[in-house]
């Protein structure tokens, strides 16, 4: 199924502060390499037939490349982000304004949430992460706004600070059924693991090596799964389950804690 994505060129990519365990401001980074890898990701989507739209990057916002955090768009409604850290706060109005210009109905968030970083549509359910960034109150806000059952999931490992670093929606990301996911059990509390086992008995299970290269930060159209090339175990498991892995190298962006999904906001009309 063709998807419609919003992306932001990493023109100003840098690692100059630390707001997650992946970031090390003392380590070298290569903006040109980040741009080249991002362009390869765009090309992979285009080759799969997906529609890509772009938001202009703003100076002083090195993480704006991570478009998934800019909000959540379902049924033509944009639920704006409200970032936990001041370093990213100015990204929210940029994504809000873009959405308004594109004709989406915009709903201003009242509570901290980081967009599709912590909200993943999977069939009839909206999976919602909490523990490090998004407030639990935002889960209730999203349920009232979208009228879809929200499943709250507790993240427990700071390396997997957003839900989209611990779950990849393999089918159902546009609300279609049946839905299935891949996930890393160790990233969740015991109760949340039990919920995921009940909801997705046929889920693809990732291992910690996949998690450590942000392998779950992947984008699927229901068959093709764009994921980090380093996640070799997950790619093999996806193939066994009947999916088609599309490996990409975005390792430079991982220096800031992001992967393919972080760079990709799905626009659902």
């Amino acid at each position: 199924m063709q998807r419609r994505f919003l992306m932001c060129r990493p023109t100003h990519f840098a690692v100059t502060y630390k707001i997650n365990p992946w970031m090390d401001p003392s380590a070298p980074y290569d903006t040109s390499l980040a741009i080249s890898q991002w362009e390869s990701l765009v090309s992979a989507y285009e080759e799969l037939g997906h529609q890509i739209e772009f938001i202009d990057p703003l100076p002083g916002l090195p993480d704006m490349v991570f478009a998934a955090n800019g909000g959540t768009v379902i049924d033509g409604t944009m639920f704006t982000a409200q970032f936990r850290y001041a370093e990213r706060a100015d990204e929210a109005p940029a994504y809000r304004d873009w959405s308004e210009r594109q004709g989406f109905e915009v709903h201003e968030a009242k509570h901290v949430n980081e967009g599709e970083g912590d909200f993943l549509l999977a069939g009839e359910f909206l999976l919602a992460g909490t523990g490090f960034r998004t407030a639990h109150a935002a889960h209730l806000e999203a349920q009232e706004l979208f009228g879809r059952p929200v499943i709250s999931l507790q993240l427990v490992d700071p390396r997997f600070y957003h839900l989209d670093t611990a779950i990849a929606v393999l089918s159902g990301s546009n609300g279609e059924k049946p839905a299935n996911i891949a996930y890393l059990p160790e990233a969740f509390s015991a109760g949340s693991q039990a919920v995921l086992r009940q909801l997705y008995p046929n889920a693809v299970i990732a291992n910690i090596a996949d998690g450590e290269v942000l392998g779950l930060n992947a984008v699927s159209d229901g068959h093709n799964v764009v994921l980090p090339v380093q996640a070799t175990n997950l790619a093999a498991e996806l193939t066994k389950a009947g999916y088609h892995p599309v490996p990409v190298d975005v390792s430079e962006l991982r220096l800031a804690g992001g992967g393919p999904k972080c760079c990709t906001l799905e626009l659902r009309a």
Side-chain angles (χ1 to χ4, degrees):
M1 181 182 295
Q2 185 190 61
R3 308 291 177 165
R4 182 184 176 198
F5 298 142
L6 177 63
M7 302 182 70
C8 182
R9 182 182 177 88
T11 303
H12 308 291
F13 176 77
V15 184
T16 56
Y17 50 77
K18 184 179 180 67
I19 59 173
N20 67 56
W22 303 89
M23 304 177 89
D24 180 359
S26 68
Y29 61 87
D30 187 333
T31 303
S32 296
L33 178 57
I35 292 171
S36 175
Q37 291 181 345
W38 177 87
E39 289 174 343
S40 296
L41 176 61
V42 172
S43 295
Y45 289 147
E46 291 176 339
E47 290 171 8
L48 293 172
H50 302 311
Q51 178 184 347
I52 313 296
E53 300 187 31
F54 302 98
I55 184 173
D56 292 332
L58 298 178
L61 298 177
D63 284 342
M64 193 171 168
V65 59
F66 300 130
N69 304 148
T72 306
V73 181
I74 299 175
D75 299 331
T77 296
M78 161 62 124
F79 181 33
T80 67
Q82 185 180 128
F83 287 91
R84 181 165 296 279
Y85 291 104
E87 289 88 344
R88 300 196 65 183
D90 288 342
E91 296 176 39
Y95 281 97
R96 177 200 63 208
D97 293 348
W98 183 92
S99 299
E100 287 180 338
R101 291 195 299 272
Q102 298 300 312
F104 290 101
E105 179 181 337
V106 173
H107 177 90
E108 290 280 357
K110 297 182 178 68
H111 303 283
V112 171
N113 85 83
E114 299 202 343
E116 281 200 331
D118 276 323
F119 287 117
L120 297 175
L121 186 61
E124 64 187 305
F125 299 119
L126 185 59
L127 305 180
T130 191
F132 298 104
R133 297 294 183 87
T134 295
H136 185 262
H139 297 185
L140 305 178
E141 192 178 357
Q143 182 166 272
E144 289 301 310
L145 175 63
F146 294 122
R148 294 172 181 264
V150 170
I151 306 297
S152 292
L153 299 167
Q154 185 74 31
L155 295 162
V156 296
D157 187 326
R159 293 174 297 175
F160 311 114
Y161 59 97
H162 276 153
L163 190 65
D164 70 357
T165 66
I167 287 181
V169 178
L170 300 178
S171 56
S173 72
N174 204 30
E176 70 275 14
K177 304 174 189 176
N180 198 20
I181 65 169
Y183 72 100
L184 177 65
E186 294 92 333
F188 297 96
S189 68
S192 293
Q193 290 183 43
V195 168
L196 291 171
R197 286 194 297 269
Q198 291 180 58
L199 291 179
Y200 305 103
N202 299 314
V204 174
I205 304 301
N207 65 20
I208 196 66
D210 297 320
E212 289 174 343
V213 292
L214 291 179
L216 277 300
N217 198 249
V219 176
S220 175
D221 59 14
H223 176 63
N224 302 293
V225 184
V226 179
L227 79 168
V229 66
Q230 295 83 6
T232 53
N233 172 75
L234 180 57
E237 293 301 315
L238 289 169
T239 300
K240 290 178 188 176
Y243 296 95
H244 175 236
V246 181
V248 295
D249 187 0
V250 290
S251 53
E252 198 66 18
L253 294 169
R254 192 168 71 241
L255 297 178
K261 174 56 189 166
C262 285
C263 295
T264 312
L265 176 60
E266 186 159 355
L267 303 172
R268 304 172 183 87

